[in-house]
Amino acid sequence: AASVAAGHTVEPVLVLGVEDGAGEDVGAEEEAPAPDTGGLQPEEAEALSAMMRSVVESGTARMLRDVPGEPVHAKSGTAQWGSGETIHAWMIAFQGDLAVAAFIEGASVSGTADAGPLVRDLLTRLAP
């Protein structure tokens, strides 16, 4: 979602620790750089952005249409595992320069029903 919002590949950083009061990392480890795969091209990002916006305008993420601020772009998903009775649900979204992801392990219904309200609540709380 961050890459689509930026229009180019944005490499995520995994934060394993937090800063203590003295400004030193507590428990942080260095991550290996991601392999160069050619990156997201601007025309790809533009197409993905349009598709993610349509998910909000008329698809499974319609609950994000009235979030205050800039237009929200999103995509949800559900993955079954094991015997197929357990699901993981997720939603990614971006609004302006903010990208978010919500993942529910062992969800009850779907990415829209389980992760969507979390994304909506966060974006609404962060709205100007």
Side-chain angles (χ1 to χ4, degrees):
S3 295
V4 175
H8 58 84
T9 300
V10 175
E11 292 189 28
V13 177
L14 178 61
V15 178
L16 299 174
V18 296
E19 256 185 34
D20 67 11
E24 295 182 26
D25 283 341
V26 178
E29 296 180 18
E30 196 69 29
E31 288 290 313
D36 183 7
T37 59
L40 181 67
Q41 299 302 308
E43 59 276 4
E44 295 167 333
E46 186 176 325
L48 288 167
S49 179
M51 287 183 265
M52 290 174 72
R53 182 62 190 152
S54 71
V55 172
V56 174
E57 291 175 342
S58 59
T60 58
R62 288 187 303 273
M63 86 285 289
L64 302 175
R65 280 188 296 201
D66 62 350
V67 170
E70 295 183 48
V72 178
H73 300 70
K75 179 65 181 107
S76 64
T78 305
Q80 296 159 327
W81 65 279
S83 65
E85 295 178 21
T86 303
I87 63 171
H88 296 325
W90 56 268
M91 180 175 281
I92 59 171
F94 70 88
Q95 184 180 35
D97 65 355
L98 174 66
V100 299
F103 174 80
I104 312 295
E105 184 176 3
S108 61
V109 180
S110 68
T112 299
D114 295 310
L118 297 174
V119 171
R120 179 181 170 72
D121 185 54
L122 176 65
L123 292 177
T124 300
R125 288 173 186 251
L126 294 174

